[in-house]
Amino acid sequence: MSAPWSQRFELALHPAIVAFNASIPFDIALIEYDITGSQAHAQMLAHQGILTAAEADTIVQGLEQIRQEYRSGTFQPGIEAEDVHFAVERRLTELIGDLGKKLHTARSRNDQVATDVRLYLREQIQLIKSDLHRWQQALVNLAEQHLYTLIPGYTHLQRAQPISLAHHLLAYFEMAERDYQRLGEIYQRVNICPLGAGALAGTTFPIDRAYTAQLLQFNGVTRNSLDSVSDRDFVVEFCCACSLIMVHLSRLAEEVILWSSQEFQFVVLSDRVSTGSSIMPQKKNPDVPELVRGKTGRVFGHLQAMLTMLKGLPLAYNKDMQEDKEALFDTVKTVRGCLQAMTILVQEGLSFQRESLYHAVHSDFSNATDVADYLAAKGVPFREAYNIVGRIVKTCVEEGILLNQLPIDRWQAFHPLFSEDIYDAIAPEHVVDARRSYGGTAIEQVHQQLEEAKKILQERG
Ligand code: ARG
């Protein structure tokens, strides 16, 4: 079988170059978008009198048959087809004869592939948004169970202040919410139709680009034909949004890995989500969060590949741009897989160890700020209070005791304004509940955040 452009050439393509050049092994994933795009194009050609209605009808039906053949597995074009666009056109011509050759009137593979990728991405963005929604739902469900569970809050991975575990989990809800919004914004720029730009300069045929765009439910048409075929900004933006999703997932993944270690013992992973070692029988490994952490790199890599592919590329289409597909497809597959695995992990894989968490928040100096606040509330300038507490903590550390084990007379030796109520003030439950500023970790605040999160999910449906 010879390529559509072969008449211009004297020698056949080297077989190794056929394989090197071909995108069909991966761009076959675009086939249904390619068919849908071609159907709309044929209908527009008929609408404009470039094809007859009967011709367009036959083409649309032939394309539909190819869709069915593909779905049932009987249409499996090989490497000689070069790419999905040629494969479909060739099959169409086999099915409906020479009329199939009219489909490519007023079109180029350059505007065709740009359209296919946009159609593909439009659908994938919606799927990832649904994955994010389920992810957020899982976080909210778990947070609801742990409103009153306290966990050490860290800065610099040093115990800082105790917080509500729900508060911690809802921080990830916020990240996912931004991810969701971001994808929605990118969708707006993806959802514009480049079809009709031709190879780069437009077409001599009296096409109606708005009509095609409308048939494909695009929100408008691209303005500049050169930009239409050479723009892949939306791929870069999408890879960037996915990289941020991975950043967020990898941060929780890392925390779960730490929390499930013998050193922390804050959480135990259920058997449904962990694996054993082939040699050390005592081990239970956090494979899911480790894989998520590990897969983050490849998504970043795809973003870098896309930026580099476009950098310095002269207008308009260049074959370099064929490289967008594998990166894009793998980004989608990886991000969706990670979101789904983390959702399962949070939904049924984590059992927080209330006893060790209780022990953790009751056995450190993460209430020291509250001692300073205590004095500051009684009129001692904060910096002075801070210094006094520094001395108190130093003494306790030297004696191997905690703040709540210091007798009242010794408190008062540090400052006369200390009285018996200092013990209540530094109890972790109080330390948490005292942080009532908007967005803080006090139970009433976290409860309010939880309600807002639920409302966001509900209103979204
Ligand atoms: N397979 C090509 C790609 O994925 C389709 C566009 C080819 N256009 C061209 N002028 N060779 O980018």
Side-chain angles (χ1 to χ4, degrees):
M1 211 177 330
S2 54
W5 37 259
S6 61
Q7 304 303 307
R8 158 86 173 70
F9 292 73
E10 276 170 18
L11 296 177
L13 203 55
H14 189 293
I17 301 301
V18 169
F20 183 70
N21 208 31
S23 53
I24 188 81
F26 47 87
D27 70 11
I28 187 71
L30 294 175
I31 187 165
E32 297 224 18
Y33 308 97
D34 194 74
I35 287 171
T36 303
S38 288
Q39 287 173 327
H41 179 67
Q43 280 165 332
M44 181 278 290
L45 291 177
H47 186 255
Q48 296 302 101
I50 301 167
L51 291 181
T52 67
E55 283 176 328
D57 243 29
T58 309
I59 289 176
V60 168
Q61 275 164 32
L63 289 166
E64 204 49 36
Q65 184 176 335
I66 299 173
R67 192 196 299 277
Q68 297 316 324
E69 288 178 357
Y70 173 72
R71 285 187 184 172
S72 66
T74 53
F75 180 52
Q76 293 173 334
I79 207 89
E80 72 290 342
E82 188 174 323
D83 63 21
V84 68
H85 322 293
F86 276 154
V88 170
E89 187 183 322
R90 184 172 283 163
R91 179 70 189 138
L92 183 67
T93 305
E94 278 168 20
L95 288 174
I96 66 170
D98 276 352
L99 174 57
K101 298 178 184 169
K102 285 194 175 181
L103 172 62
H104 212 52
T105 311
R107 185 176 73 169
S108 152
R109 276 186 301 160
N110 298 349
D111 56 346
Q112 189 179 356
V113 71
T115 306
D116 290 4
V117 174
R118 285 174 185 266
L119 288 172
Y120 163 82
L121 212 43
R122 219 168 57 168
E123 209 165 290
Q124 301 310 314
I125 286 175
Q126 299 301 14
L127 291 171
I128 297 173
K129 281 176 80 180
S130 302
D131 292 336
L132 277 168
H133 183 88
R134 282 188 283 273
W135 166 234
Q136 288 179 296
Q137 188 65 62
L139 288 167
V140 163
N141 291 347
L142 191 61
E144 201 152 30
Q145 294 166 35
H146 290 291
L147 195 54
Y148 295 95
T149 309
L150 304 189
I151 186 170
Y154 296 80
T155 65
H156 313 268
L157 202 52
Q158 306 287 326
R159 297 264 181 98
Q161 285 162 2
I163 53 173
S164 154
L165 175 53
H167 193 46
H168 193 110
L169 294 168
L170 287 175
Y172 286 99
F173 177 93
E174 295 298 329
M175 298 176 220
E177 182 57 22
R178 287 194 296 277
D179 291 330
Y180 189 95
Q181 303 287 336
R182 200 169 359 256
L183 282 177
E185 288 148 21
I186 293 170
Y187 186 94
Q188 301 303 317
R189 283 182 288 279
V190 171
N191 195 21
I192 316 245
C193 188
L195 201 60
L200 76 164
T203 171
T204 55
F205 289 92
I207 60 170
D208 183 344
R209 291 189 57 203
Y211 186 76
T212 326
Q214 197 189 330
L215 288 179
L216 293 170
Q217 286 159 18
F218 277 110
N219 195 25
V221 299
T222 53
R223 273 194 295 268
N224 180 303
S225 65
L226 286 158
D227 182 51
S228 304
V229 291
S230 57
D231 171 29
R232 292 292 183 277
D233 291 3
F234 59 95
V235 175
V236 173
E237 281 190 79
F238 174 77
C239 289
C240 186
C242 289
S243 294
L244 275 172
I245 293 175
M246 293 304 298
V247 166
H248 299 151
L249 293 182
S250 74
R251 293 180 80 167
L252 183 57
E254 171 69 10
E255 294 193 316
V256 169
I257 293 163
L258 283 174
W259 291 345
S260 67
S261 70
Q262 206 130 52
E263 283 67 22
F264 278 78
Q265 299 186 25
F266 288 176
V267 76
V268 167
L269 301 188
S270 91
D271 294 353
R272 301 259 285 163
V273 296
S274 37
T275 58
S277 152
S278 62
I279 171 168
M280 297 164 281
Q282 84 284 9
K283 286 192 70 189
K284 221 175 175 186
N285 295 330
D287 290 32
V288 170
E290 285 177 303
L291 272 174
V292 168
R293 193 176 56 181
K295 284 176 189 287
T296 302
R298 65 198 269 172
V299 175
F300 290 4
H302 295 322
L303 170 62
Q304 187 61 45
M306 289 304 93
L307 287 167
T308 312
M309 178 194 83
L310 290 172
K311 178 194 170 292
L313 214 56
L315 298 185
Y317 177 85
N318 297 267
K319 189 78 167 190
D320 312 44
M321 292 162 83
Q322 181 163 290
E323 285 295 306
D324 63 356
K325 287 165 204 65
E326 285 163 292
L328 191 54
F329 299 159
D330 188 66
T331 297
V332 167
K333 178 170 163 252
T334 306
V335 167
R336 294 204 66 199
C338 289
L339 276 169
Q340 286 162 15
M342 286 296 279
T343 301
I344 293 168
L345 181 74
V346 161
Q347 240 159 27
E348 49 182 295
L350 302 179
S351 119
F352 281 95
Q353 303 297 288
R354 290 176 198 267
E355 232 170 84
S356 43
L357 284 170
Y358 182 89
H359 179 75
V361 294
H362 283 85
S363 63
D364 60 21
F365 290 90
S366 61
N367 48 3
T369 313
D370 293 72
V371 180
D373 285 354
Y374 175 96
L375 286 180
K378 293 194 174 191
V380 181
F382 182 81
R383 188 53 64 209
E384 198 180 315
Y386 171 94
N387 289 329
I388 294 165
V389 180
R391 290 196 289 277
I392 298 174
V393 169
K394 186 163 179 275
T395 304
C396 287
V397 170
E398 279 163 10
E399 296 182 20
I401 58 171
L402 293 166
L403 286 170
N404 65 2
Q405 292 168 319
L406 197 66
I408 190 65
D409 54 314
R410 297 194 56 196
W411 281 102
Q412 284 164 348
F414 280 106
H415 200 287
L417 280 173
F418 281 120
S419 59
E420 281 288 344
D421 58 355
I422 183 64
Y423 296 106
D424 283 341
I426 60 172
E429 293 72 19
H430 182 268
V431 166
V432 168
D433 223 24
R435 288 178 164 67
R436 301 191 177 195
S437 53
Y438 181 79
T441 199
I443 304 301
E444 57 159 44
Q445 282 298 321
V446 179
H447 186 258
Q448 193 182 320
Q449 291 168 35
L450 193 58
E451 290 308 308
E452 278 174 38
K454 285 202 257 181
K455 205 169 130 225
I456 288 172
L457 294 181
Q458 239 163 38
E459 281 171 4
R460 201 183 273 161

